[in-house]
Amino acid sequence: MYKVLIVLHEGDEYIRMNKVYVENMPVAGQYIIHSDGLAYYVEEVTSFVGYVSSKGATTILVVHPAPKDSAVNHLYGMDIEKDLDDPEYNKRN
């Protein structure tokens, strides 16, 4: 897992949102569903070379809200455990 810092780009402002873990490193041009449940478009991905990952995030993702009419916004409200998780993998003993 990768720890990334999400930075929201709105107009001329860049607003630090939070640090999150991602399984796969997003690329510019990709949509992500943030932990707030909203869809964002990845503008830029900046990774730090030689930075010790145990100290924190190694990558900054610059994002902006996905357009309201984009298909990714129809995914809002998905139940991750029900819709994406593999039940065989998550069996409780």
Side-chain angles (χ1 to χ4, degrees):
M1 303 244 321
Y2 303 98
K3 191 172 191 178
V4 300
L5 171 63
I6 306 288
V7 175
L8 179 64
H9 179 201
E10 287 199 302
D12 292 336
E13 294 188 50
Y14 290 87
I15 304 160
R16 182 186 187 280
M17 291 177 69
N18 63 343
K19 293 177 188 171
V20 296
Y21 285 98
V22 294
E23 290 278 342
N24 305 311
M25 186 61 68
V27 295
Q30 179 178 344
Y31 290 100
I32 61 170
I33 305 293
H34 192 289
S35 57
D36 61 9
L38 300 176
Y40 293 90
Y41 180 82
V42 178
E43 292 180 15
E44 300 287 337
V45 179
T46 303
S47 296
F48 299 102
V49 176
Y51 185 74
V52 180
S53 62
S54 63
K55 291 185 176 184
T58 60
T59 303
I60 295 174
L61 298 180
V62 178
V63 301
H64 65 258
K68 298 290 183 200
D69 60 346
S70 63
V72 71
N73 277 313
H74 298 290
L75 298 175
Y76 181 74
M78 287 182 69
D79 180 338
I80 299 298
E81 290 181 5
K82 178 182 165 209
D83 298 330
L84 298 179
D85 283 354
D86 183 359
E88 287 78 31
Y89 180 78
N90 294 311
K91 285 185 180 177
R92 301 199 194 278
N93 295 331

